[in-house]
Amino acid sequence: MTEKTLKQLLSKGESVSIEFKTSFGKDAIETLSAFANTKGGSVIVGATDHGEIQGLHLGKETLQQWLNQIKLNTSPSIIPDIETTTIGNKTLVVLTIIEYPVKPVSCRGKYFKRIRNSNHQMSINEISNLHLKTYHASWDHYMAWPSRFLKKFRMVLRWRFLKPPRKPPRKPGRATKFLKYCIQIQA
């Protein structure tokens, strides 16, 4: 990220996709997981909440250690892009994550979403709805199957797996007819 672009982001302040942190820690990881659960964003480490540059001192393995902490504390593991930028004599680190395709992403067992310029812990309903939205499904999808289909499905499961037949089935095309029936019901 260029120095000019970074100064513009700092002057605009925190938003839905930008967060400032003075140092790297668990709050930065929570914010990255919240960004992954919403529309993505960037955490700028080395700046105050008001966009003032404080800078950081980075060791030889600091960025690698940060990546490892992020990877270990999120599930599914997320790995952000990391860039370092120097403005004056002060170093800033920009951690950028895109919207994660498999949601929700947890941070130490908790789930966060981004609303305006802050992170909010998600409720159980929000977590389950976000998970279903990831797979383009809904609770209505599972409830819409007719009872006659479920009865027939249970019968086939019982016949196939619980009580295997002693003799070969009389009608060889029974499974094929059942699959065609299932497809017709879903259409």
Side-chain angles (χ1 to χ4, degrees):
M1 186 175 288
T2 65
E3 185 178 327
K4 183 180 177 182
T5 308
L6 194 54
K7 283 183 179 179
Q8 288 175 347
L9 290 176
L10 290 169
S11 66
K12 288 182 182 176
E14 293 183 342
S15 66
V16 174
S17 60
I18 299 293
E19 176 81 16
F20 304 141
K21 297 289 180 191
T22 54
S23 62
F24 180 82
K26 67 179 184 175
D27 292 338
I29 300 172
E30 284 178 5
T31 302
L32 287 169
S33 71
F35 285 151
N37 287 330
T38 50
K39 297 186 181 196
S42 297
V43 176
I44 301 172
V45 183
T48 65
D49 288 340
H50 303 291
E52 298 169 5
I53 301 170
Q54 278 192 336
L56 295 168
H57 175 71
L58 298 175
K60 187 176 180 181
E61 296 288 322
T62 303
L63 298 179
Q64 187 61 42
Q65 290 172 354
W66 288 5
L67 279 177
N68 289 337
Q69 286 180 9
I70 294 167
K71 186 177 169 187
L72 291 173
N73 287 305
T74 56
S75 178
S77 296
I78 57 174
I79 300 175
D81 292 330
I82 293 185
E83 292 181 67
T84 58
T85 305
T86 304
I87 298 177
N89 291 334
K90 299 179 180 178
T91 302
L92 297 171
V93 176
V94 181
L95 303 163
T96 304
I97 192 77
I98 60 170
E99 182 178 359
Y100 208 68
V102 178
K103 297 176 199 164
V105 174
S106 72
C107 177
R108 294 183 315 278
K110 296 180 181 178
Y111 298 87
F112 297 93
K113 65 181 178 178
R114 187 75 175 178
I115 299 176
R116 295 190 183 173
N117 62 350
S118 63
N119 304 326
H120 295 272
Q121 190 169 349
M122 297 168 70
S123 69
I124 291 177
N125 287 338
E126 291 172 322
I127 294 167
S128 62
N129 287 335
L130 187 59
H131 178 72
L132 287 172
K133 212 183 282 186
T134 297
Y135 295 104
H136 304 292
S138 68
W139 291 112
D140 296 338
H141 171 75
Y142 296 105
M143 302 307 288
W145 289 23
S147 61
R148 67 181 187 277
F149 169 75
L150 293 175
K151 285 179 187 174
K152 195 149 196 146
F153 187 68
R154 283 189 207 113
M155 181 182 72
V156 169
L157 285 177
R158 201 175 313 126
W159 179 75
R160 284 273 186 198
F161 301 106
L162 300 178
K163 297 179 183 175
R166 294 181 186 168
K167 299 178 188 175
R170 287 182 258 155
K171 296 180 182 178
R174 204 184 262 181
T176 306
K177 287 180 183 177
F178 176 70
L179 288 175
K180 286 181 182 177
Y181 176 74
C182 292
I183 292 168
Q184 287 174 353
I185 288 176
Q186 279 191 313

